[in-house]
Amino acid sequence: MVEQVSNVTHKYLRPKKTFPNVWCPGCGIGIAMGALIRAIDSLNFNKDDVSVVSGIGCTARIPVYLDFNTLHTTHGRAIAFATGVKLANPKLHVIVISGDGDLLAIGGNHFIHAARRNIDITCILVNNYIYGMTGGQYSPTTPFAKNASTAPYGMIEQSFDPSDLAKSSGATYVARGTVYHASQLSRLISQAISHNGFSFVEVISNCHTQYGRLNREGSAVKMIQWQKEYAVPASAAARMTREELEGKFVTGKLHEVFRPEYVSEYQKIIDKFNEEEEENRQLQES
Amino acid sequence: MAEVETKRKKSFYKENVPLLMQGNEACALGALAAGCRFFAGYPITPSTEIAEILSRLLPRVGGKFIQMEDEIASIAAIIGASIAGAKAMTSTSGPGYSLMQENLGYAYMAEVPCVIVNVMRGGPSTGLPTKVAQGDVMQSKWGTHGDYFPIVIVPSSVKECFDYTVKAFSLSEEYRIPVTVLSDEVLGHMREIVKLPSQEELNIVTVPKPYEPPEWYKHFEITPDFRSPMASFGEGYRFHLTGLTHDEYGFPTASKTEIVRKLEKLRLKTMRHLDELTDVRVEMMDDAHIMIFAYGSTARAARQAIRMARKRRFKVGLIQPRIIWPFPDQIVREYLERVDLVIVPELNQGQIIREVKRLRYRHVKIIGLNRFDGELITPQQILDKLKEERH
Ligand code: SF4
């Protein structure tokens, strides 16, 4: 089993220069990266056709380890860079991987607009409720009353529900998984990548080093166990009342609709001009 | 395919016939002629026409246009497109150019070719959106954080808006560097008769592709002349790009030697090629005792002023840099040795004059003529200044 797992992951990792990795032992980001690799493997893509784009933060360090066309950009801007990559070369499968501060605070504007455009990019959010790399400051997903290094008296702001935000901004595929449910997570990611349009997968993860420490939530293992206990599959959630769902979070595919995809719509305009050109030429020749 | 493209282009690109056009239009057509196939931008006065024109024309040549949610996203998108293999451009004005500074530094660090047209307007802040200024010349050199040795171009006519947008693309490809074109509100909106060159007359440079197989490829190879070939995403090279200081493969590095090698490469890329990066128009300087140092739309007034002054027997000439960064030290120094007075007219409170003063030679008197009320400096103003100095 271990051998099988490592065979798949090693096929997609870069041997050169990049290990040991930057993450704390026990961090969920590594599991999210593994899930992403297995998702791509299950889709049988050519590595040359995959581009992984990120911004800044712990999660944003994922691309450097991956043997794809990888782009580690500036804080919050991954989706905007990815938009250019996708438009310039639509045959690339473009995947943005980001943390909650990166994607929803400094990058929030790009996130909602990419969702609204319904551009065929897959966006994976590793949500650990805090800024990890800079040392535990509160993020747009830090829950009310929780502690952060910049919320020493408890969080008094309200937080985003990233999946809700994605859906209401126009994302046409939305799912939520956890690093505990790793194989479900790969399935959700591969569904998201296969979806034609802006797809979004929120991954509940643990930052025991910052969030866990500041909120006395215990070790990595304990935090991942929390995910197991509080996750409710979408199918079960449909039968539960609001009160029953209080404090829990729903996992699985949350939303999928089909709307015109931006890059294909643009291609239609180009094709129209090509046809006109062809007609003109035929007219001239005859 | 190329043939079809050229043919289709002809419907809006008419070679060698006199056309009346705006500077902004000339920038847009110059970009297309240079092979620009991606534009991302955000509406801002007085640059918006460039975006509007390209939104109409790009799909006709198989290119893409996108209006992004802000200027930060616009420059990010053109960098992404460039990495994926398209020649890419954005256009903006002061406030947008300020927003772009961080990613401009990214493009510089990650050595991604792209072109940014800044149609300058009055600043600081929102300033004078519909009025002319030259207040961003220092920002274009020092705007992003860290050491930065950029290439910046300042055209002074509608024809130059065309020619130098083409040149901006060529330089950005050759040096794998973001190139800024500093146009201004007057140039952008002014109409002049222009004859567009044929495709053969254009000297278009495209960054060479690597010749070695992917296993051998170093995206940031340090070559003897510091310019390296470039593969694009999707071509089998699977490299890594980052704004972190990196080694020749693009992987983040903490090694002191690698850090120094990278940063020196970035500096020497432009500073070792000063000859190629000097583009200065010298007029009537042979016997001149007085030098007018002027650029952009101010150079137009200066050109007329030296003619008026010559009629009054002042021995005066003009030095007009069209590439302002790197600053043409050598040529300016040469002429500074021959004159005793330099006038630097600028539409700001005194920016480029600092560079000229840096090169000051002995007794030479260097004075500014500054206007920042949203209007152009007139030839008469320059002449008056000159007379005032010479009694
Ligand atoms: S700081 Fe937190 S998010 Fe970052 S690597 Fe450590 S545990 Fe993971």
Side-chain angles (χ1 to χ4, degrees):
Chain A
M1 178 60 193
V2 170
E3 239 167 54
Q4 255 178 7
V5 170
S6 82
N7 276 348
V8 173
T9 36
H10 281 87
K11 221 165 86 189
Y12 295 91
L13 293 176
R14 286 182 168 136
K16 221 180 268 172
K17 268 213 97 153
T18 51
F19 286 92
N21 65 45
V22 298
W23 301 306
C24 309
C27 178
I29 292 173
I31 304 174
M33 178 169 90
L36 169 65
I37 289 175
R38 284 188 297 279
I40 294 172
D41 185 68
S42 74
L43 294 166
N44 276 321
F45 288 157
N46 184 334
K47 286 192 215 173
D48 293 334
D49 297 337
V50 177
S51 177
V52 185
V53 186
S54 70
I56 296 293
C58 293
T59 306
R61 290 300 182 96
I62 286 181
V64 73
Y65 304 112
L66 300 178
D67 188 17
F68 300 118
N69 302 285
T70 55
L71 182 55
H72 178 218
T73 72
T74 47
H75 199 19
R77 317 301 171 197
I79 290 183
F81 279 79
T83 300
V85 171
K86 182 69 188 179
L87 274 167
N89 187 349
K91 82 168 204 293
L92 292 172
H93 305 283
V94 180
I95 298 156
V96 169
I97 181 130
S98 190
D100 39 292
D102 191 33
L103 188 75
L104 301 174
I106 189 167
N109 201 24
H110 311 306
F111 176 61
I112 58 174
H113 284 281
R116 172 183 62 77
R117 279 184 195 111
N118 197 29
I119 184 169
D120 186 23
I121 288 174
T122 298
C123 176
I124 300 167
L125 162 67
V126 177
N127 184 3
N128 53 23
Y129 308 104
I130 204 120
Y131 284 81
M133 189 167 269
T134 46
Q137 298 77 23
Y138 68 83
S139 88
T141 60
T142 305
F144 190 76
K146 291 289 184 183
N147 293 321
S149 70
T150 46
Y153 312 114
M155 176 76 165
I156 52 171
E157 294 179 22
Q158 296 297 313
S159 56
F160 272 142
D161 175 332
S163 291
D164 257 8
L165 180 64
K167 186 182 162 193
S168 50
S169 305
T172 45
Y173 177 97
V174 179
R176 188 187 285 120
T178 79
V179 295
Y180 174 81
H181 305 88
S183 52
Q184 180 204 33
L185 184 59
S186 318
R187 272 199 313 280
L188 293 172
I189 294 175
S190 76
Q191 272 178 19
I193 296 173
S194 312
H195 175 88
N196 186 29
F198 188 83
S199 53
F200 177 70
V201 181
E202 177 186 350
V203 185
I204 307 292
S205 183
N206 62 297
C207 173
H208 49 288
T209 306
Q210 307 294 358
Y211 185 82
R213 178 176 54 85
L214 291 161
N215 290 291
R216 300 210 173 76
E217 305 226 340
S219 64
V221 175
K222 227 175 141 202
M223 287 184 79
I224 293 175
Q225 243 162 11
W226 172 86
Q227 296 167 12
K228 179 190 170 197
E229 280 156 28
Y230 285 81
V232 180
S235 50
R239 293 189 302 271
M240 287 164 71
T241 64
R242 243 210 187 148
E243 288 73 45
E244 286 172 318
L245 280 172
E246 187 62 43
K248 308 231 154 112
F249 56 90
V250 183
T251 57
K253 182 165 95 179
L254 306 177
H255 171 69
E256 187 168 26
V257 289
F258 294 92
R259 278 200 279 269
E261 189 276 323
Y262 176 75
V263 183
S264 338
E265 290 303 305
Y266 204 103
Q267 193 55 45
K268 281 185 200 164
I269 302 176
I270 295 176
D271 291 345
K272 206 184 80 203
F273 283 120
N274 280 333
E275 278 161 30
E276 267 174 28
E277 183 68 26
E278 188 55 32
E279 274 167 28
N280 283 345
R281 206 176 36 208
Q282 279 170 3
L283 270 176
Q284 270 168 10
E285 274 169 18
S286 61
Chain B
M1 184 63 194
E3 218 173 85
V4 178
E5 277 192 11
T6 343
K7 236 185 170 179
R8 196 181 314 147
K9 213 173 69 191
K10 278 195 179 129
S11 56
F12 57 82
Y13 186 97
K14 297 191 185 69
E15 291 168 8
N16 287 320
V17 289
L19 299 168
L20 186 67
M21 68 171 77
Q22 274 191 338
N24 280 347
E25 203 176 341
C27 277
L29 293 180
L32 286 176
C36 171
R37 290 298 176 268
F38 185 86
F39 180 98
Y42 186 81
I44 184 166
T45 305
S47 77
T48 310
E49 292 85 1
I50 301 176
E52 286 174 340
I53 293 166
L54 289 172
S55 72
R56 194 158 44 81
L57 299 183
L58 270 169
R60 290 168 185 254
V61 293
K64 308 255 169 76
F65 165 93
I66 185 168
Q67 182 173 311
M68 295 300 285
E69 49 276 14
D70 58 30
E71 287 89 346
I72 302 174
S74 302
I75 187 166
I78 67 164
I79 296 170
S82 177
I83 292 162
K87 285 191 185 175
M89 177 171 101
T90 184
S91 66
T92 188
S93 186
Y97 194 57
S98 292
L99 285 175
M100 289 181 184
Q101 293 304 320
E102 184 195 8
N103 282 340
L104 206 49
Y106 183 92
Y108 177 73
M109 186 65 143
E111 302 187 53
V112 184
C114 56
V115 173
I116 299 97
V117 178
N118 173 3
V119 186
M120 291 185 285
R121 67 188 219 187
S125 189
T126 315
L128 302 161
T130 60
K131 303 269 184 179
V132 68
Q134 295 180 312
D136 306 346
V137 275
M138 280 299 170
Q139 183 189 24
S140 70
K141 169 69 177 86
W142 303 107
T144 198
H145 54 279
D147 285 319
Y148 180 48
F149 296 87
I151 299 176
V152 179
I153 288 173
V154 206
S156 70
S157 67
V158 173
K159 178 65 165 49
E160 280 186 1
C161 282
F162 178 90
D163 292 341
Y164 282 85
T165 303
V166 173
K167 183 153 187 173
F169 273 95
S170 289
L171 291 174
S172 92
E173 292 274 317
E174 199 176 344
Y175 291 86
R176 281 179 55 179
I177 196 172
V179 175
T180 298
V181 178
L182 288 179
S183 171
D184 63 53
E185 189 277 331
V186 164
L187 274 181
H189 289 154
M190 174 175 77
R191 284 173 204 276
E192 284 183 315
I193 303 272
V194 172
K195 276 190 191 171
L196 299 181
S198 68
Q199 202 71 30
E200 299 78 60
E201 290 169 83
L202 293 168
N203 180 22
I204 289 167
V205 181
T206 301
V207 59
K209 293 281 173 198
Y211 55 86
E212 67 270 62
E215 316 81 82
W216 291 65
Y217 178 60
K218 293 179 188 162
H219 190 69
F220 298 98
E221 186 176 352
I222 298 176
T223 57
D225 76 348
F226 306 102
R227 296 179 287 207
S228 21
M230 186 175 83
S232 303
F233 275 8
E235 293 178 338
Y237 286 84
R238 297 201 303 272
F239 50 90
H240 181 67
L241 281 176
T242 177
L244 289 165
T245 310
H246 45 262
D247 63 15
E248 287 180 87
Y249 292 96
F251 295 129
T253 182
S255 138
K256 292 186 193 72
T257 12
E258 278 172 351
I259 294 168
V260 171
R261 261 157 65 83
K262 170 75 194 187
L263 296 183
E264 277 297 89
K265 178 200 182 186
L266 290 178
R267 182 176 70 87
L268 294 170
K269 209 161 56 161
T270 48
M271 299 318 272
R272 269 284 163 80
H273 296 99
L274 289 176
D275 282 353
E276 288 163 51
L277 292 172
T278 298
D279 188 333
V280 177
R281 183 171 166 153
V282 179
E283 246 179 277
M284 299 189 193
M285 281 302 296
D286 285 348
D287 61 342
H289 299 160
I290 306 167
M291 176 208 291
I292 314 281
F293 186 91
Y295 55 93
S297 45
T298 307
R300 304 165 70 88
R303 190 162 304 130
Q304 216 181 321
I306 57 170
R307 301 220 150 74
M308 288 155 68
R310 283 269 169 184
K311 276 193 197 136
R312 290 166 178 79
R313 302 197 192 290
F314 288 109
K315 296 214 156 146
V316 52
L318 170 69
I319 301 280
Q320 180 204 341
R322 282 175 290 205
I323 294 179
I324 198 125
W325 302 114
F327 195 76
D329 281 17
Q330 204 194 327
I331 200 157
V332 174
R333 202 175 266 137
E334 238 168 67
Y335 284 104
L336 275 179
E337 286 176 23
R338 304 198 209 158
V339 299
D340 51 39
L341 174 66
V342 182
I343 300 175
V344 187
E346 294 182 87
L347 301 176
N348 55 45
Q349 291 173 310
Q351 296 196 10
I352 274 298
I353 192 169
R354 302 169 70 102
E355 290 297 302
V356 184
K357 282 186 176 162
R358 178 172 60 81
L359 304 170
R360 185 196 297 271
Y361 182 77
R362 283 192 209 148
H363 55 281
V364 184
K365 186 172 182 192
I366 301 170
I367 52 164
L369 171 55
N370 305 95
R371 190 159 186 179
F372 37 91
D373 60 355
E375 297 296 329
L376 288 174
I377 290 173
T378 63
Q380 190 61 46
Q381 273 183 297
I382 298 175
L383 187 65
D384 289 348
K385 189 80 180 175
L386 203 152
K387 284 197 215 154
E388 190 186 305
E389 286 302 318
R390 286 292 200 239
H391 308 299

